[in-house]
Amino acid sequence: MATVSNVNPHSRGPLEEYDERVHSHQLRNDEHQRGLVQNLQDLHDMLAEYHLPKVVHPTIRSLRPRSKSWIGSLLQGKPTRKLATQIPPNLPKGLYMYGDVGSGKTMLMDMFYDTLPPNITSKTRIHFHNFMQDVHHRLHVMKTEHGDDLDAILYVAADIAEKGSVLCFDEFQCTDVADAMILRRLLEALMTHGVVLVTTSNRHPDDLYKNGIQRQSFIPCINLLKTRLRVLNLDSHTDYRKIPRPPSGVYHHPLDKAAISHAEKWFRFLGDPEHDPPHRAVQKVWGRDIEVPKASGQAAWFKFDELIGRATGAADYLELMRSYHAFIVTDVPGMSYRERDLARRFITFIDAVYESRAKLVLTSSVPLYQLFMSPDEVHDALDSGRAKGDVALPTDGEDVDDVMRMMMDDLGLNMQMLKSSSIFSGDEERFAFSRALSRLSEMGSREWVERGLGLEHRGGKGEKEGWERVRSRWREDSL
C-alpha cells in the first residue's frame, strides 16, 4: 500500500485548481461540475483545520476473546460496555462519489488528492480491490503469528492509520463474501483512529454487494457509509430550467462547513432565485403573522429555532404548506428527554410536510436516527426491552448504532424500542415519535425528492405541472 508525503506546490484548493483549469481551457466551466468541486473544497477547508489524533495500537492481549474460565475472567477484569461509536467527534465527514463511466470520478479524485492542505503530511491512494488484498494478507500474517482467535482487524486498522491520515479509494465495490464480512468493522476502526475516507464507485452504497451471500450482514456497512461519508451522485440530472440537481441527499449532518453549502444548493434548486430573489416573507394565520426568514419561489428556509423554537403549532404549519412546496430547516439539534416539547412540535411539522407531500431538507447536529433518542437512551431501552423479552437479543457484531439505524426503516422495531423506554408518556406519543422516523426515511428517498421537480429524466416541465395539480387538490381538501 503506497503512502506518500503530501506535496501541494501551488497551495491551491480544489476550487482554485478548477478555476485555473477552466482559465487555461483544460476544462469547460460547468455548473454541475463546479457544484461537485465545491464539495471537495468544503472537505479541503475542514481538513486544513483538522488535527489528527495520535494512533494508539491495541495490545495483543486486548484483542483475544475473553476467557470462559472463572480465573481467566477474573484476571481479565470486567467487560466494558461497547460504545455506540468511538469515532472522534471532530473527524471531518469524508466523501463517497459515485457515477457512471465518464462522470468525472477520476478527475475529481485527482483534483482532491493533489490539492490536500499542507497540514496533511501523509496520504494514501489505492484501488479498493488492491487495498482489500493487502488487508487480507495482513490479517493472515497476524493470525499465523498469534492464533486464529485474535481479533486482528483492530490491529491492522491501526497499522494502516499510522501510514496516512487521508485514505482515498478508487472504485469502491464489494463482490466477495470475505470482504463483506469484515468491511464494516475495518472502515469503522480506521475512522476511530481519525482517518478521513474519500472514495469513488460506480454505484450508490445501497446497491453494493447486491444479491451477495449473507448480504443482511453487510447492511451495517452500507449504513456506516451513508452516515459517515457524504454520498454524492456525479451523474448530472437537470430540471426543465436546466438547473442541476444537487448531488447529495436532502439530509446532512453534522453542522460543519459542508452543511452551509448543502442548504444553499438545495434552496437555490427548490426555489426560484432568478425570478424571485431570496427575501423575507410573512404569512397570516388567524390574524397572527408567521415570519419566513428567507423565501424564494415555492421554497422557505428556516433555522430550527426560528420555526420550532417559537410558539408555533399545527395551524401554522398547515398554512405554510399551502404557501410553499419545499422547506429547508437548518441547525436541527438532537432532542433527548430534556427537549421533549421541541421534539413534539418538530414531529407535528414533519407530519404536515409529509401529508402535504412537500420536500424537506435538513441540516442536523446528529444523524436522523439520533434526533429523538440519544445513544444512551436507546441503550437503556434495549436493556429494558431485552430483559422483558420485548426486544430481540443482539446479533453478532450488532451495536447501538445498528439498532438505531434499523429503527428508521422498521416501524415495528421502533415501537418495540419506544415501549421499552420510560421517556415517553403513553402509546399515542410513542407511535408519533416512531412514525416520524419512518416518515423522515421515506421523505429522504430519491423517489420522494425528485417527484414533481420537473427533472428531465422524469418528464420535465410536464411532470412538474402534473404534480402541481395534485398539490392544488391537496390545498383545496385541507381548507
Side-chain angles (χ1 to χ4, degrees):
M1 188 183 306
T3 299
V4 299
S5 298
N6 180 37
V7 178
N8 182 357
H10 302 293
S11 297
R12 293 180 186 140
L15 268 180
E16 284 184 278
E17 180 65 25
Y18 181 78
D19 287 337
E20 176 59 30
R21 295 186 190 185
V22 169
H23 181 72
S24 61
H25 305 291
Q26 298 176 58
L27 292 174
R28 176 177 56 85
N29 192 26
D30 177 83
E31 186 175 356
H32 173 68
Q33 203 167 65
R34 181 175 289 279
L36 294 170
V37 176
Q38 179 64 59
N39 290 287
L40 305 183
Q41 184 67 46
D42 289 340
L43 179 53
H44 174 97
D45 293 344
M46 287 186 280
L47 285 171
E49 301 174 356
Y50 179 53
H51 300 288
L52 181 71
K54 183 179 179 181
V55 176
V56 179
H57 265 80
T59 63
I60 296 298
R61 179 182 175 185
S62 70
L63 300 178
R64 296 194 183 282
R66 292 188 59 79
S67 173
K68 295 182 180 179
S69 72
W70 178 78
I71 294 177
S73 61
L74 189 64
L75 291 173
Q76 285 180 315
K78 291 183 179 180
T80 56
R81 176 196 280 194
K82 182 180 177 184
L83 297 177
T85 176
Q86 300 171 327
I87 297 173
N90 68 327
L91 179 71
K93 197 169 187 177
L95 297 173
Y96 182 106
M97 302 181 286
Y98 76 98
D100 292 333
V101 174
S103 59
K105 295 190 293 288
T106 301
M107 184 272 289
L108 290 168
M109 181 65 93
D110 289 343
M111 188 176 294
F112 175 77
Y113 191 73
D114 293 340
T115 61
L116 282 167
N119 62 304
I120 302 299
T121 56
S122 58
K123 57 187 181 181
T124 305
R125 182 175 180 182
I126 187 172
H127 192 281
F128 187 71
H129 176 69
N130 296 337
F131 171 76
M132 290 308 298
Q133 284 188 319
D134 179 75
V135 167
H136 284 297
H137 173 71
R138 291 171 185 249
L139 293 174
H140 175 72
V141 170
M142 288 288 294
K143 294 197 173 191
T144 299
E145 184 175 347
H146 300 285
D148 287 339
D149 61 350
L150 188 79
D151 185 4
I153 291 176
L154 300 179
Y155 199 92
V156 168
D159 271 349
I160 296 170
E162 278 188 327
K163 300 295 190 297
S165 53
V166 175
L167 179 54
C168 297
F169 297 130
D170 289 302
E171 303 299 336
F172 190 104
Q173 60 178 324
C174 185
T175 57
D176 186 273
V177 66
D179 292 349
M181 294 304 101
I182 68 168
L183 199 46
R184 176 275 181 92
R185 293 193 62 233
L186 174 64
L187 297 181
E188 192 168 47
L190 288 169
M191 294 180 196
T192 297
H193 289 299
V195 175
V196 177
L197 302 179
V198 177
T199 185
T200 65
S201 180
N202 291 328
R203 57 191 66 196
H204 188 281
D206 286 335
D207 296 326
L208 292 170
Y209 197 53
K210 270 206 166 176
N211 304 316
I213 299 171
Q214 300 181 49
R215 188 176 189 267
Q216 193 62 32
S217 300
F218 187 69
I219 299 300
C221 180
I222 293 174
N223 289 330
L224 177 73
L225 292 170
K226 294 195 296 184
T227 303
R228 293 292 178 176
L229 303 183
R230 195 172 189 201
V231 179
L232 303 177
N233 183 356
L234 305 188
D235 297 325
S236 178
H237 294 300
T238 60
D239 68 0
Y240 66 99
R241 303 168 298 175
K242 305 301 182 187
I243 296 178
R245 178 199 189 279
S248 61
V250 288
Y251 305 140
H252 177 90
H253 85 279
L255 299 176
D256 53 14
K257 180 179 175 62
I260 300 170
S261 60
H262 172 85
E264 289 172 344
K265 288 173 187 173
W266 276 106
F267 183 65
R268 180 178 180 277
F269 181 69
L270 295 171
D272 189 9
E274 183 178 342
H275 300 101
D276 185 23
H279 59 277
R280 301 180 78 85
V282 175
Q283 304 295 331
K284 288 191 175 293
V285 179
W286 296 349
R288 292 188 298 106
D289 289 345
I290 307 176
E291 189 173 303
V292 182
K294 190 184 291 187
S296 173
Q298 295 177 328
W301 181 338
F302 295 87
K303 289 183 178 178
F304 180 85
D305 286 342
E306 293 169 335
L307 179 66
I308 307 300
R310 298 175 180 174
T312 50
D316 303 300
Y317 305 145
L318 189 60
E319 185 59 38
L320 288 172
M321 299 307 133
R322 294 194 185 104
S323 302
Y324 302 102
H325 290 187
F327 296 86
I328 291 83
V329 182
T330 59
D331 302 328
V332 180
M335 289 160 273
S336 65
Y337 70 92
R338 298 180 188 86
E339 295 86 23
R340 281 293 167 250
D341 287 342
L342 285 178
R344 292 185 187 100
R345 206 173 293 156
F346 190 45
I347 286 170
T348 302
F349 173 74
I350 290 169
D351 288 341
V353 175
Y354 181 86
E355 287 160 9
S356 70
R357 298 298 187 264
K359 314 296 180 194
L360 181 60
V361 177
L362 299 178
T363 68
S364 60
S365 61
V366 297
L368 289 191
Y369 57 82
Q370 292 180 14
L371 274 183
F372 305 124
M373 290 182 77
S374 69
D376 285 343
E377 288 172 337
V378 171
H379 197 290
D380 292 342
L382 276 173
D383 287 346
S384 174
R386 285 166 180 163
K388 297 175 185 175
D390 294 334
V391 178
L393 294 174
T395 58
D396 186 37
E398 179 185 85
D399 65 10
V400 173
D401 261 11
D402 294 329
V403 173
M404 295 177 82
R405 292 183 189 107
M406 286 188 289
M407 286 172 66
M408 291 291 297
D409 302 316
D410 188 339
L411 190 63
L413 173 65
N414 211 329
M415 285 297 293
Q416 285 180 316
M417 285 292 303
L418 298 179
K419 284 179 180 177
S420 302
S421 171
S422 61
I423 58 179
F424 299 96
S425 56
D427 286 345
E428 186 174 339
E429 184 175 270
R430 292 187 179 98
F431 180 76
F433 277 74
S434 175
R435 184 179 61 189
L437 283 179
S438 296
R439 286 183 165 183
L440 282 172
S441 180
E442 184 178 351
M443 288 192 290
S445 68
R446 180 175 177 178
E447 180 181 357
W448 184 287
V449 171
E450 293 188 349
R451 188 170 50 196
L453 293 182
L455 294 179
E456 290 185 325
H457 72 282
R458 288 185 175 269
K461 192 172 184 178
E463 187 265 349
K464 178 179 176 60
E465 291 171 345
W467 181 242
E468 285 179 344
R469 287 193 290 272
V470 173
R471 284 271 306 175
S472 178
R473 285 196 293 271
W474 171 84
R475 282 195 294 269
E476 291 173 3
D477 293 341
S478 66
L479 291 174

